[in-house]
Amino acid sequence: MTDNKQLRVSKIESGTVIDHITGGQALNVLAILGIDGTDGEVVSVGMNVPSDRLGRKDVVKVEGRELSQSELDVLSLIAPDATINIIRDYDVVEKHVVHRPDSVTGVLRCPNHNCISTEDEPVGSKFAVTDDGVRCEYCETIIREDLAAHILV
Amino acid sequence: MDQNHLISAKGLSRADIEAVLDRAGEVAADPAAAAGRHEGSLLGLLFFEPSTRTKMSFAAAVKRMGGDIVDMGPVDSSSVKKGESLADTVRVVEGYADALVMRHPSEGSARMASEFVDVPLINAGDGAGQHPSQTLLDLYTIRESAGLDDLTIGIMGDLKYGRTVHSLAYALTNFDTRQHFISPESLKLPRNVRYDLHEAGSEVKEHTDLGATLPSLDVLYVTRIQRERFPDESEYRQVAGEYQIDTDTLADASEDLRVMHPLPRVDEIGHGVDETDHARYFQQAHNGVPVRMALLDLMLGGD
Ligand SMILES: [Zn+2]
């Protein structure tokens, strides 16, 4: 229990803390950010942590890496309440919220198997972000439910 | 028009549509005036899927204006079969031609191809996506026979995979039309098309049966329901049979009803209908050449 608590509250020296992630989405957040541990960065993940605001939330801490706003905005698709703290020397130097971007490139896979973006062509997937979902810029397929299931890994 | 390319009916404003139809009307009235207007122009034909009439009518259109074609030929004899990407193919072929016409089995293929070329590209069908040049000749046919405003149209058949339907339904939102969509449950309009129609302010009225709406229609646009959309032959026969029309079906229709079809038809319109004043599908097919002449004329830089 103490270890658990320790993990949850432990401060990082520098990097990015993504808080208020929708419960259960932490691994999808890492997948979207392309963080799988193979680059050696220290990553801590807290899942289903009690939260006053969200009931349950996930928290991700990435040491030694400051994520940019455009990288983080993509997270709004699966974690719209996420808050971002950029840490330097154990201090929070910047706080951000995520905004829905106009489009996302190379993050989601089009669910239409007959879409040109799923074929061996020199283009990545490209989705326009709408009020209540995303839409493939090539075949116009709309995804509204369970965006996380369509993350390209 | 949307960056000189014609990819989707969504790229066509009412003014764009009217410009093409007006030009097509001029061409049809005086074909000789257009002869030689595009002397020396070359149209690249990239048909990754078999096509007879669309390809022939584009070829006829450019040749009637003094131009010529360069044709990739069937896929099985081309470098595509050796695994070349579509992006590479169009980048190479754009160097041979002044404009490209492409049909490809994948949705979104024309949009992607247009990102790689500077010459005008016309989508002549991308899978179950769009077929906007067909829509222009459909609109021309509707305009000359029924008028495009204050129109009630029924669109029937395979609305899910029917690219001519997707393009036509969207283009019609530029006009004062009431659209009824008649199809089996399993072949209803796809979500993205319904979404676009709603966004364009159009009320989407969907039916599984033609009966109740038929008497109110000015135009009935019939499309083919294909065998491969059904798991087995008997289900196909049963469902498709409910969306076939003949002279008996049309007994309840207005005397002025025009029946259209993008062709080829199989058995969805009985041959008895051919002899009636309702039949407009052969005229519709003939309109393909003047409308594509007008389209090419505008895209190749007509005055
Ligand atoms: Zn797609």
Side-chain angles (χ1 to χ4, degrees):
Chain A
M1 199 59 209
T2 324
D3 285 354
N4 229 340
K5 182 133 183 127
Q6 187 63 30
L7 169 70
R8 267 157 48 193
V9 299
S10 73
K11 291 196 164 188
I12 62 174
E13 183 189 342
S14 63
T16 305
V17 176
I18 308 167
D19 200 353
H20 302 108
I21 297 167
T22 311
Q25 294 294 338
L27 297 180
N28 289 323
V29 162
L30 290 171
I32 286 180
L33 296 173
I35 295 170
D36 61 3
T38 54
D39 291 336
E41 63 269 79
V42 177
V43 179
S44 346
V45 176
M47 295 181 85
N48 295 316
V49 180
S51 158
D52 291 342
R53 240 168 76 193
L54 301 175
R56 299 263 162 190
K57 66 172 185 180
D58 289 2
V59 184
V60 167
K61 300 176 184 183
V62 185
E63 295 196 35
R65 185 163 157 198
E66 293 187 8
L67 295 161
S68 69
Q69 187 72 35
S70 63
E71 281 178 289
L72 294 164
D73 280 346
V74 177
L75 304 181
S76 66
L77 298 176
I78 58 162
D81 299 305
T83 56
I84 317 298
N85 293 331
I86 304 291
I87 314 288
R88 287 179 206 144
D89 283 339
Y90 299 102
D91 280 333
V92 176
V93 292
E94 284 173 39
K95 277 179 176 286
H96 302 286
V97 291
V98 292
H99 302 285
R100 278 178 91 73
D102 294 333
S103 67
V104 293
T105 303
V107 172
L108 301 168
R109 182 179 178 81
C110 183
N112 173 9
H113 299 302
N114 205 39
C115 175
I116 194 75
S117 73
T118 66
E119 289 168 26
D120 192 10
E121 296 288 342
V123 292
S125 77
K126 204 189 307 175
F127 285 81
V129 178
T130 61
D131 289 343
D132 59 351
V134 297
R135 183 171 199 180
C136 177
E137 298 260 23
Y138 292 105
C139 75
E140 311 209 355
T141 293
I142 292 170
I143 318 177
R144 290 213 183 96
E145 302 85 16
D146 198 11
L147 259 54
H150 302 285
I151 295 169
L152 265 172
V153 281
Chain B
M1 252 177 258
D2 169 21
Q3 306 151 347
N4 297 324
H5 304 302
L6 179 58
I7 306 301
S8 156
K10 280 164 75 181
L12 290 169
S13 66
R14 180 171 178 141
D16 291 332
I17 292 167
E18 287 177 336
V20 177
L21 304 197
D22 290 349
R23 183 66 59 98
E26 292 163 27
V27 168
D30 184 9
R37 191 177 285 167
H38 292 284
E39 197 74 57
S41 288
L42 281 178
L43 186 63
L45 301 179
L46 297 118
F47 281 74
F48 295 86
E49 239 181 25
S51 153
T52 318
R53 61 209 72 219
T54 300
K55 192 168 160 177
M56 285 178 76
S57 77
F58 269 111
V62 72
K63 289 183 178 185
R64 285 211 183 275
M65 295 190 292
D68 207 342
I69 55 163
V70 278
D71 185 352
M72 178 182 85
V75 167
D76 53 13
S77 62
S78 70
S79 52
V80 178
K81 213 179 170 200
K82 300 181 191 109
E84 185 176 61
S85 70
L86 175 59
D88 279 5
T89 304
V90 296
R91 275 185 286 202
V92 170
V93 177
E94 86 161 323
Y96 307 156
D98 301 297
L100 303 176
V101 177
M102 187 179 104
R103 174 172 291 181
H104 191 279
S106 299
E107 283 98 68
S109 50
R111 170 87 53 208
M112 190 210 73
S114 74
E115 294 175 356
F116 291 91
V117 298
D118 293 322
V119 300
L121 184 139
I122 297 172
N123 179 11
D126 61 322
Q130 292 266 326
H131 190 0
S133 70
Q134 174 73 39
T135 293
L136 290 166
L137 74 91
D138 293 344
L139 294 173
Y140 182 84
T141 308
I142 295 170
R143 188 169 86 166
E144 70 174 3
S145 59
L148 278 167
D149 283 312
D150 193 22
L151 174 85
T152 304
I153 184 170
I155 302 180
M156 182 167 85
D158 182 349
L159 310 185
K160 184 174 182 184
Y161 298 99
R163 56 195 173 202
T164 61
V165 169
H166 305 159
S167 289
L168 178 62
Y170 192 83
L172 284 169
T173 64
N174 288 292
F175 301 90
D176 175 20
T177 55
R178 287 166 297 281
Q179 299 192 59
H180 294 274
F181 298 95
I182 306 120
S183 72
E185 196 62 38
S186 61
L187 295 176
K188 282 168 65 176
L189 288 174
R191 173 151 84 173
N192 64 308
V193 175
R194 203 179 299 123
Y195 176 89
D196 285 334
L197 296 178
H198 277 296
E199 290 283 294
S202 175
E203 199 186 327
V204 179
K205 301 188 198 77
E206 298 179 283
H207 316 271
T208 51
D209 182 77
L210 175 63
T213 54
L214 178 62
S216 69
L217 300 181
D218 301 310
V219 171
L220 175 60
Y221 191 100
V222 183
T223 64
R224 190 162 129 214
I225 294 178
Q226 295 183 25
R227 166 69 187 88
E228 63 260 35
R229 306 299 178 211
F230 291 87
D232 65 75
E233 183 76 22
S234 67
E235 192 183 337
Y236 161 69
R237 286 191 174 281
Q238 199 220 326
V239 173
E242 291 173 32
Y243 298 89
Q244 288 168 359
I245 61 161
D246 55 24
T247 49
D248 287 345
T249 326
L250 296 181
D252 292 333
S254 147
E255 223 176 274
D256 295 328
L257 173 77
R258 283 82 171 174
V259 176
M260 295 174 60
H261 190 298
L263 302 182
R265 72 170 154 178
V266 181
D267 48 11
E268 53 280 17
I269 301 176
H271 289 281
V273 179
D274 301 358
E275 311 306 323
T276 69
D277 291 337
H278 297 303
R280 281 290 187 283
Y281 29 91
F282 295 117
Q283 186 56 41
Q284 182 186 357
H286 296 162
N287 289 338
V289 175
V291 171
R292 290 186 168 113
M293 286 170 75
L295 177 63
L296 290 171
D297 191 23
L298 292 167
M299 294 185 78
L300 288 166
D303 44 34

